[in-house]
C-alpha cells in the first residue's frame, strides 16, 4: 500500500486495487497511475480484496478530506470472488457472495482489526481462512469502476503483443491464456470477455486491410483450482497448441497484468510443444495509464 504525494485540492480520492506481487510488479502499477497522482489523492490496496489494505487505504483517503472515493479494480476480469468480496467490504453489497478469500498478508493486523474470532483451525500454510468478514469502516461514498475485461485498450495491447511475434497471420493460431478463477460460472464469463478481445483484434486486422489470424482462441489455466480442474485446463491448453501446430504456427499470449507472476506457468506447462512466446504482459504499457484515467473520468 502506498500513498501519492498529492498536494492539490480535489475532493475525490482514488483507490486502485490490484493483486500485487514483488517490487517490480507493484512499481509498474504505480507507474501507470502517475498521471492521476497529479490531480487526485491516490492509495493502492494490494491483495485479494484484503480487509487490512482496503481499510488503511480508505482511512488515508478520508484523512486527505476526500468526500467521495472512486475504486478502480485493476484486475483482468470482473468475474471473480475477489471483486465481489471487495464490494462487500466497501459497503456495496449487503452480504458476502462467496466464502471469504484467504488472508496471505497483514495476518496479524487482520486479527487485530477485523473483529473476527479466529482459532488454530482457521490457519493453514501461513494463511488465515476467516469464517466470515465484516465490512470495513468507511464514512465516504464509494463508486466501483469496471475491471479490464474486454476494454478496447486491452485488445489493442494484446494485438501488439501478437503482431510482435507474427509472420503470417493466415497460418497462425493465437492462444490467449489467462489465469482464471476456480468457479465454473466465473470461468465462463472470464473466457467470454477474452473472446470479445479476440473478436476486436480480428476486426481491426480486417479494417486495416491486414490478414486476419487463422484463429484466436481463449482459455484460462486455472492454477488455483482443485487438481482435477487444474489438470483438465492444462491438457486443454496443450491440446489447442498441438492442434494449431497441425495446420500452421501457434502464438501463445499471456493475458496477465504485470510480469514476474503466474504468466510463466503458461509457458512451463507447454514444455515439449512448439509455439511462439514472448511472455509480455499488459504492463508495462502507457495505454494502461489511459485506462485508469478514463475509468476516473467516466465516474465523475
Amino acid at each position: 500500500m502506498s500513498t501519492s504525494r498529492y498536494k492539490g485540492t480535489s475532493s475525490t480520492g482514488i483507490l486502485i486495487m490490484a493483486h500485487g506481487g514483488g517490487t517490480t510488479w507493484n512499481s509498474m502499477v504505480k507507474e501507470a497511475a502517475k498521471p492521476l497522482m497529479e490531480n487526485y489523492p491516490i492509495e493502492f490496496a494490494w491483495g485479494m480484496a484484503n480487509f487490512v489494505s482496503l481499510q488503511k487505504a480508505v482511512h488515508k483517503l478520508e484523512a486527505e478530506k476526500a468526500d467521495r472515493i472512486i475504486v478502480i479494480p485493476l484486475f483482468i476480469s470482473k468475474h471473480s470472488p475477489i471483486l465481489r468480496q471487495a464490494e462487500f467490504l466497501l459497503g456495496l453489497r449487503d452480504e458476502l457472495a462467496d466464502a471469504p478469500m484467504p488472508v496471505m498478508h497483514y495476518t496479524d493486523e487482520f486479527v487485530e482489526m477485523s473483529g473476527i474470532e479466529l482459532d488454530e483451525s482457521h490457519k493453514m500454510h501461513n494463511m488465515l481462512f476467516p469464517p466470515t468478514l465484516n465490512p470495513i469502516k468507511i464514512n465516504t461514498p464509494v463508486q466501483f469502476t469496471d475491471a479490464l475485461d474486454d476494454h478496447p485498450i486491452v485488445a489493442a495491447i494484446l494485438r501488439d503483443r501478437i503482431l510482435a511475434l507474427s509472420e503470417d497471420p493466415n497460418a497462425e493460431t493465437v492462444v490467449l491464456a489467462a489465469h482464471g478463477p476456480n468457479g465454473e460460472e466465473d470461468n465462463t464469463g472470464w473466457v467470454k470477455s477474452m473472446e470479445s478481445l479476440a473478436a476486436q483484434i480480428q476486426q481491426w486486422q480486417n479494417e486495416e486491410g491486414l490478414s486476419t489470424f487463422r484463429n484466436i482462441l481463449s482459455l484460462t489455466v486455472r492454477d488455483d483450482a482443485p487438481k482435477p480442474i487444474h489438470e483438465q485446463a492444462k491438457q486443454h491448453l496443450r491440446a489447442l497448441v498441438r492442434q494449431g501446430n497441425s495446420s500452421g504456427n501457434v502464438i501463445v499470449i499471456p493475458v496477465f497484468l504485470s510480469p514476474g507472476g503466474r504468466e510463466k506457468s503458461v509457458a512451463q506447462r507447454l514444455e515439449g510443444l512448439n509455439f511462439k512466446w514472448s511472455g509480455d504482459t499488459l504492463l508495462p504499457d502507457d495505454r494502461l495509464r489511459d485506462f485508469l484515467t478514463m475509468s476516473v473520468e467516466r465516474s465523475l
Side-chain angles (χ1 to χ4, degrees), residues 17-19 47-49 73-78 82-83 147-149:
M17 290 179 54
H19 189 286
M48 299 186 297
L74 199 55
F75 285 80
I76 295 295
S77 174
K78 64 175 174 288
I82 297 175
L83 270 62
L148 290 162
D149 285 309

Side-chain angles (χ1 to χ4, degrees), residues 23-53:
T23 302
T24 299
W25 200 106
N26 294 357
S27 66
M28 287 188 180
V29 173
K30 294 177 183 178
E31 183 67 27
K34 274 190 174 180
L36 289 176
M37 292 179 182
E38 298 174 4
N39 299 307
Y40 305 95
I42 290 185
E43 290 293 331
F44 298 88
W46 310 109
M48 299 186 297
N50 185 284
F51 177 96
V52 176
S53 64

Side-chain angles (χ1 to χ4, degrees), residues 216-231:
I216 302 181
L217 306 173
S218 303
L219 54 77
T220 58
V221 296
R222 307 182 79 178
D223 278 342
D224 296 328
K227 188 174 180 180
I229 297 175
H230 170 84
E231 184 62 25

Side-chain angles (χ1 to χ4, degrees), residues 227-271:
K227 188 174 180 180
I229 297 175
H230 170 84
E231 184 62 25
Q232 183 182 48
K234 175 181 178 180
Q235 295 307 322
H236 179 50
L237 172 60
R238 291 182 64 86
L240 291 184
V241 172
R242 284 195 297 267
Q243 291 167 12
N245 278 324
S246 68
S247 56
N249 294 321
V250 177
I251 298 172
V252 180
I253 301 294
V255 187
F256 288 69
L257 179 61
S258 196
R262 298 282 186 88
E263 84 283 355
K264 296 177 182 178
S265 70
V266 175
Q268 291 169 353
R269 70 184 57 198
L270 290 173
E271 184 178 0

